Amino acid sequence: MNSRTQRSPEDMLPAAQVMARYQVSDMTIFRWLADPKLRFPQPIRINGRRYWRLADLQAFEARQAKKEAA
């Protein structure tokens, strides 16, 4: 793995990469954000664009894994 593909938890992912990460549409992300029980991380808006912290997404994934294991 080269340095361009390695990610640190401080990295920010744009909406397109978040959609690709979960293989979902923008509407699905919108629904996840609107569902308080799901607790999908809120994006950070920069110049009208949405970005997510990688660490926040990884924490969300860990919560989902715990739910599935229970």
Side-chain angles (χ1 to χ4, degrees), residues 4-57:
R4 286 184 58 98
T5 58
Q6 291 179 351
R7 295 221 177 255
S8 76
E10 296 84 31
D11 282 352
M12 303 288 279
L13 300 181
Q17 287 184 12
V18 173
M19 289 185 282
R21 181 181 187 95
Y22 299 112
Q23 298 179 358
V24 297
S25 69
D26 193 41
M27 181 53 81
T28 298
I29 298 290
F30 175 81
R31 289 181 182 127
W32 288 358
L33 289 167
D35 183 353
K37 289 186 269 181
L38 189 59
R39 296 175 47 210
F40 190 73
Q42 293 295 315
I44 297 166
R45 293 198 177 264
I46 302 172
N47 289 335
R49 296 177 188 253
R50 298 173 299 164
Y51 296 87
W52 281 263
R53 285 187 180 96
L54 181 57
D56 294 345
L57 295 173

